[in-house]
Structure formats: C-alpha cells, structure tokens
Amino acid sequence: MWIIEKMEASMHKSLFIPGPVNVRPDVLEKMATPMIGHRTKEASVLQRSISDKLRKLMYTKEEIILSTSSGSGLMEAAVKSCTKKKVAAFAVGAFGERWHKMATANGIPADRFDSEWGQPTTPEMVEKALSTGEYDVITITHNETSTGIMNPLDEIAEVVKKYPDVIFCLDTVSSLGGAKIEVDKWGVDICIASTQKCLGLPAGLALCSLSQKAYEKAKTVENRGLYFDLVSLYDTIQKKDYQYPSTPSLSHMFALDYQLDRIMEEGMENRFNKHLEQAKVVRAWAKKHFDMLAEEKYASNTLTTIKNTKEISVADLNKKLAERGFMISNGYGALKEKTFRIAHMADTTMEEVNEILSVIEDILGL
Ligand SMILES: *Cc1c(COP(=O)(O)O)cnc(C)c1O
C-alpha cells in the first residue's frame, strides 16, 4: 500500500496555520491538468495570462517574474541581484531576520534593524538608516507571520521614496491576495509572494514584481548567480514571450491562472475585506480570552498571533485539535509556547473561523 494511503485517515486536517493553507478541491484539481511542453505557444499564453492578472492584484504596471521555488528563493534573488553597497534589513520577526541572513550568507554586506517583537518597523527607523547613504537596498516585511504584525507601508513608503537610488524590496509572502498591496503607489521595486499562503494554492511557486529601475540596477551587479538571476529571468520573458530559462512547475501555473480568475470574480476588495472581518473576530476572541501580541493598529489581517496569557500548553491544544481534524500554529522560534497563531487567509470562510474558535473554547473549557 502506498505510504500516503496508510497515513491518510489521520493525516488530513483543516489547516488554520499560516501556510500551507487549505486548497479548494477545484483549485487542486487544476494541478492535475495534463502536461504541456514548456516551450509551446500554450505555455506562453498561460504564463502571460498569469502575469497580467498578477499585475492587477499587485496594482502595478511593472513586469512579473514567476519562480519555481518557494518565496524564499526570490527573497534571496532580490538581495543578490540588486545590492552593490549594503542591505538595510528591517526585522519585526523571524522572516525579516531571515532576509538579513540571506544577504550575509551570500557575502553581501547587510545591517539589521530590529523592532521589539510585537512592534512595527517605523518610518523614523527607516529614515534614520537610509539618511546615512550607506545602503542601496532596503528589505521590509509587509506582514510578519511570526509576530502577526502588518507594517504601516503607507508611511514607510513615503520615506523610502525620498531615496530614489535605493531598491525597495517588500516581503508580501503572507499578505498578497489577502490584503491590498499597492506596488506602484508605494514605489516598491521588488514585491515578493508565495502561492501557499493568501493565494490559496500548494507551495512550490513564487512570484514577484520587478521594476524597470531594479532591473537596470541588477544589470550592473556582479555575481548574481544563475537560477535566481533576476536579469536572466526578465530577459528570457521578453525574448521568449513569457517563457522561463528553466522548466517551471506548469501544474502550479494551471492552478494559479484559475485561482486568479476566482479571486477577480470574488472581487479583490471583497476578498481583502473578508480577511479583515475575520481578523476582527479573531482579535476580539483573543482579547476576551487571552491577549494579542501586536498592538491592534499594527495587527495583521491575515493571521492573528495570540499571547498565551493563560499559559496553556499549546502543544497539547494542537494535539487535541488534531483529534478533531484541525490544526493551528504554535508560536515561532522564541515565542513557541508564549504565543499561538490562527491564520485566516486564502479561502477560509467566516464559518470556519467561528468553528475553530468554538472548538478551541470547547477543548480549553473557556
Ligand atoms: C512563509 C513566509 C516566508 C517564506 O516563504 P516560503 O514560501 O516558505 O519560502 C517569508 N516571509 C513571510 C512573511 C512568510 O510568511
């Protein structure tokens, strides 16, 4: 018997973790579309169609790059392809820290600017760093999945705009498709996301917007690597009509194109509001029974990080949830037992949010 079949009965759970998320059966089915050649007209049409739809979702006129990797691949690509001087990496949690590590692991000079976990990156912090003139790349996390912080991008973007020589890289891995990301208005040069979070697909494909400015800059940078070289990815799309240098996951492409149609049908604003309403419900619940890690003003719309003020065993809670077919996330890293996280992203419905909260209440006797 196939190993997966043996595990199946105990394996499947309704996921309230911040990726991977539950994938709708009709979207999952599109992954099983019969294979096509990646150098065919059909592949070009498919990939161009995805890029056109993503431009709408990202509110941008710039080029879109698809990458067969998870989002981390393009995060590494961004710092590696665009840095000549030094990266200013702002961290409000684990993913911001990781972006700094990606730079240093590639031998790229980088400084990290930390906020206390639970606090946002402030425009003042950004101003202070960029005004030194030391940096030519800035990395910001829009929605920090470890702490449940959504950074004030309107204000941060105003500061970054004062430094037109700086390449603005933004991590929207856990927010694109779940909250409004206005790439051109914010002046973001490289905006990155993965498929397994708010977009509601399996993991394995990443995407980013790439501004003309970032492309021109990258052309002047040495040692950009090969697989994740943004210049080569961009050039190939232009020369080969939206095809890629290496073989992409066409299965993801079929499903993503379909899912983007669904998102447009739902209405982008409706989708963003849906997650905000879900966030409000989870925040109210968190404040009633526990507390929130983030100040409400900076709380994420796509997941809520709850402070474990009752000192429950998060591991036990998840074990009991598993018996009933659910899964939430414990805290990240140092926050493992100090917080727990409930995601409300992708195609999660309000009924499902209410259900998970009442199941948790039942288990904990709240
Ligand atoms: C999940 C996540 C990442 C990493 O993305 P992968 O697709 O797993 O590589 C980066 N940043 C944030 C904010 C995330 O939530």
Side-chain angles (χ1 to χ4, degrees):
M1 198 191 209
W2 185 33
I3 185 85
I4 300 297
E5 277 171 35
K6 276 194 233 166
M7 294 195 299
E8 207 153 32
S10 65
M11 187 174 70
H12 184 74
K13 291 175 192 72
S14 187
L15 302 175
F16 291 86
I17 60 176
V21 295
N22 297 320
V23 181
R24 286 170 52 109
D26 53 332
V27 176
L28 211 45
E29 241 171 57
K30 291 290 177 284
M31 296 277 294
T33 304
M35 214 29 64
I36 61 173
H38 69 302
R39 295 283 175 242
T40 57
K41 176 101 199 320
E42 288 76 14
S44 290
V45 169
L46 177 64
Q47 283 149 195
R48 178 191 286 274
S49 160
I50 291 170
S51 293
D52 287 343
K53 289 166 195 168
L54 283 174
R55 266 187 276 271
K56 282 193 194 139
L57 190 62
M58 299 175 107
Y59 297 83
T60 184
K61 293 190 173 59
E62 303 284 5
E63 193 53 278
I64 303 290
I65 307 278
L66 304 174
S67 166
T68 297
S69 66
S70 75
S72 300
L74 286 177
M75 289 169 72
E76 193 159 338
V79 288
K80 193 160 180 172
S81 297
C82 294
T83 315
K84 284 176 101 165
K85 289 184 352 194
K86 203 189 222 184
V87 179
F90 287 81
V92 295
F95 290 106
E97 290 177 359
R98 196 194 281 182
W99 219 345
H100 173 261
K101 253 185 227 151
M102 284 167 173
T104 55
N106 280 289
I108 298 162
D111 289 329
R112 208 174 86 193
F113 300 91
D114 292 343
S115 299
E116 195 186 316
W117 283 38
Q119 295 298 315
T121 297
T122 64
E124 293 76 25
M125 291 168 72
V126 173
E127 174 77 65
K128 195 170 165 213
L130 296 189
S131 65
T132 63
E134 279 182 55
Y135 307 98
D136 59 346
V137 169
I138 178 174
T139 66
I140 297 275
T141 315
H142 174 242
N143 190 63
E144 175 54 72
T145 318
S146 58
T147 52
I149 288 279
M150 198 170 252
N151 265 321
L153 254 294
D154 280 329
E155 297 157 40
I156 292 171
E158 283 314 306
V159 175
V160 182
K161 273 181 201 163
K162 293 202 280 181
Y163 302 92
D165 293 338
V166 174
I167 301 296
F168 184 4
C169 305
L170 187 66
D171 173 351
T172 62
V173 170
S174 63
S175 47
L176 183 75
K180 197 169 193 175
I181 310 289
E182 296 181 276
V183 167
D184 288 355
K185 185 180 145 202
W186 288 342
V188 177
D189 292 298
I190 305 180
C191 180
I192 300 161
S194 309
T195 46
Q196 79 278 16
K197 301 203 178 166
C198 295
L199 291 170
L201 275 80
L205 197 71
L207 56 101
C208 72
S209 64
L210 178 68
S211 72
Q212 199 62 34
K213 179 175 120 188
Y215 168 71
E216 296 299 337
K217 170 77 184 293
K219 281 201 287 190
T220 70
V221 175
E222 284 172 42
N223 299 322
R224 298 187 303 266
L226 196 74
Y227 189 73
F228 290 116
D229 174 13
L230 293 177
V231 173
S232 143
L233 286 160
Y234 180 96
D235 286 346
T236 310
I237 294 172
Q238 313 309 319
K239 274 186 220 131
K240 295 191 176 172
D241 192 14
Y242 280 84
Q243 291 183 5
Y244 285 86
S246 46
T247 324
S249 174
L250 291 154
S251 307
H252 278 91
M253 307 273 191
F254 294 128
L256 179 56
D257 188 56
Y258 173 80
Q259 175 71 334
L260 288 168
D261 280 343
R262 282 199 57 254
I263 292 173
M264 298 303 157
E265 267 164 39
E266 180 180 359
M268 295 191 290
E269 297 279 354
N270 293 339
R271 192 175 172 90
F272 306 152
N273 281 330
K274 173 182 77 181
H275 293 304
L276 176 61
E277 291 307 315
Q278 293 170 353
K280 284 182 186 165
V281 167
V282 180
R283 289 174 201 165
W285 182 89
K287 282 194 282 193
K288 181 171 169 204
H289 298 293
F290 295 91
D291 203 356
M292 285 164 54
L293 181 67
E295 198 185 315
E296 186 139 4
K297 193 173 158 200
Y298 302 112
S300 164
N301 294 355
T302 60
L303 85 148
T304 301
T305 301
I306 298 158
K307 232 191 218 169
N308 183 8
T309 50
K310 289 192 160 69
E311 298 189 8
I312 59 157
S313 161
V314 177
D316 274 359
L317 171 61
N318 236 340
K319 240 180 254 162
K320 291 192 180 121
L321 281 169
E323 286 164 14
R324 303 190 190 196
F326 298 94
M327 185 177 185
I328 60 166
S329 269
N330 53 19
Y332 199 103
L335 297 176
K336 194 168 177 137
E337 281 286 322
K338 294 199 176 92
T339 63
F340 57 97
R341 296 173 296 159
I342 299 175
H344 26 85
M345 49 178 67
D347 293 301
T348 302
T349 63
M350 190 63 101
E351 291 75 56
E352 289 167 330
V353 168
N354 285 320
E355 187 182 16
I356 187 75
L357 297 179
S358 67
V359 172
I360 295 173
E361 282 175 15
D362 193 43
I363 290 171
L364 297 177
L366 297 174

